[in-house]
Amino acid sequence: MSLRNVFITSTFRNRFLHQIRSLSCWSCGNNLKMVSNLFCSNCNTLQKPNERDNFFKIMGVNETYDQDETELAKKYKELQKYLHPDKFANKNKTEQEISEKYSSLVNEAYKTLLEPLARGIYMLKLRGQEIPENSEVGDQAFLMEIMEKNEEVENAETDEEIMKLNKENKAKISDLQKLVSRAFFDGDMKRVKKLLIRMKYYTSIDQQIQAMIRRKGIFS
Ligand SMILES: [Zn+2]
């Protein structure tokens, strides 16, 4: 056996052993058959979230930039149905704490994966990269467009005006999403960062518009 094979075999064995360890119930020691099981099949105790799982694993969705919002929301509701701390009011303290921790982890995972910008930044992070603070676009035409949009949003008065701007801005974000998806697919992180920096501007316009919609009580 070559040295390389020895290394691979021991790495594989360590990983395998780790999985076995994490597959026994923390409460009764029962061996869990499935990793995805939230509860021990023997004593029905809630299991701790696996610390090595990223947000995609936690939510049970594919690790890709393209996410179906409806599917994500479905998974979220399903998970919270089982994890909500209210369900553990009569259980022991440890299980209550696990449910609180697990439930807030699912909240964070859902919020992050649902938002196109947050999702992109998170995927960069998983690859050990980030958008540098104060990074600038350096494209004057783009910055002019953003400035004009900001003014338009500030000056919008009627519901129709606001909803028109909302639709336009959502379309901009949606177009960028497609480009980001493509860039991730190509493994081009430089392009991903460039696109996400642009998305930041549209996302901040979006937040402004959503605040206006709430303030004015507009129903779309
Ligand atoms: Zn158990």
Side-chain angles (χ1 to χ4, degrees), residues 9-139:
T9 312
S10 72
T11 308
F12 178 75
R13 200 192 54 203
N14 286 342
R15 196 175 300 158
F16 188 64
L17 284 174
H18 186 95
Q19 270 179 5
I20 288 179
R21 263 203 304 278
S22 63
L23 277 177
S24 55
C25 170
W26 64 269
S27 182
C28 76
N30 181 52
N31 275 342
L32 299 167
K33 302 233 162 38
M34 279 166 59
V35 188
S36 60
N37 270 359
L38 287 175
F39 298 92
C40 170
S41 59
N42 181 46
C43 73
N44 211 27
T45 301
L46 176 64
Q47 298 303 298
K48 294 171 190 165
N50 189 337
E51 277 166 26
R52 295 176 312 152
D53 281 355
N54 63 33
F55 288 167
F56 294 95
K57 267 251 174 68
I58 285 162
M59 294 303 294
V61 295
N62 286 338
E63 194 171 329
T64 160
Y65 186 75
D66 291 321
Q67 290 293 327
D68 180 345
E69 285 179 19
T70 319
E71 178 71 14
L72 258 179
K74 222 173 91 188
K75 296 263 186 193
Y76 173 72
K77 277 185 199 144
E78 179 77 13
L79 279 166
Q80 290 299 30
K81 198 170 81 192
Y82 293 107
L83 295 172
H84 199 283
D86 285 356
K87 303 247 172 195
F88 299 86
N90 298 322
K91 299 285 182 99
N92 73 54
K93 208 162 182 307
T94 311
E95 209 176 344
Q96 281 176 19
E97 279 166 9
I98 293 174
S99 85
E100 275 164 30
K101 208 175 136 193
Y102 212 143
S103 172
S104 70
L105 185 67
V106 166
N107 275 333
E108 200 193 339
Y110 177 59
K111 239 174 72 184
T112 306
L113 297 191
L114 188 67
E115 283 285 317
L117 177 64
R119 183 166 70 243
I121 292 172
Y122 181 69
M123 284 181 70
L124 271 181
K125 197 178 139 198
L126 290 181
R127 288 157 178 77
Q129 299 198 40
E130 59 179 9
I131 300 174
E133 286 281 332
N134 305 320
S135 34
E136 291 187 7
V137 179
D139 176 342

Side-chain angles (χ1 to χ4, degrees), residues 183-218:
F184 268 119
F185 184 80
D186 293 342
D188 188 346
M189 294 308 122
K190 224 173 133 187
R191 207 162 86 230
V192 166
K193 285 181 207 171
K194 255 180 143 172
L195 292 163
L196 288 179
I197 289 167
R198 284 175 183 249
M199 199 187 272
K200 264 191 175 178
Y201 288 90
Y202 290 113
T203 303
S204 110
I205 293 175
D206 180 60
Q207 282 162 355
Q208 229 178 304
I209 295 175
Q210 299 321 312
M212 282 175 105
I213 290 175
R214 275 195 303 273
R215 209 165 48 234
K216 289 181 167 259
I218 304 170

Side-chain angles (χ1 to χ4, degrees), residues 157-169:
E157 279 170 0
T158 66
D159 291 3
E160 288 74 29
E161 280 175 312
I162 296 168
M163 291 320 284
K164 183 173 169 273
L165 286 167
N166 186 40
K167 204 177 151 193
E168 285 170 4
N169 197 60

Side-chain angles (χ1 to χ4, degrees), residues 175-189:
D175 287 346
L176 274 173
Q177 264 180 266
K178 283 175 201 135
L179 296 174
V180 171
S181 169
R182 184 74 217 179
F184 268 119
F185 184 80
D186 293 342
D188 188 346
M189 294 308 122

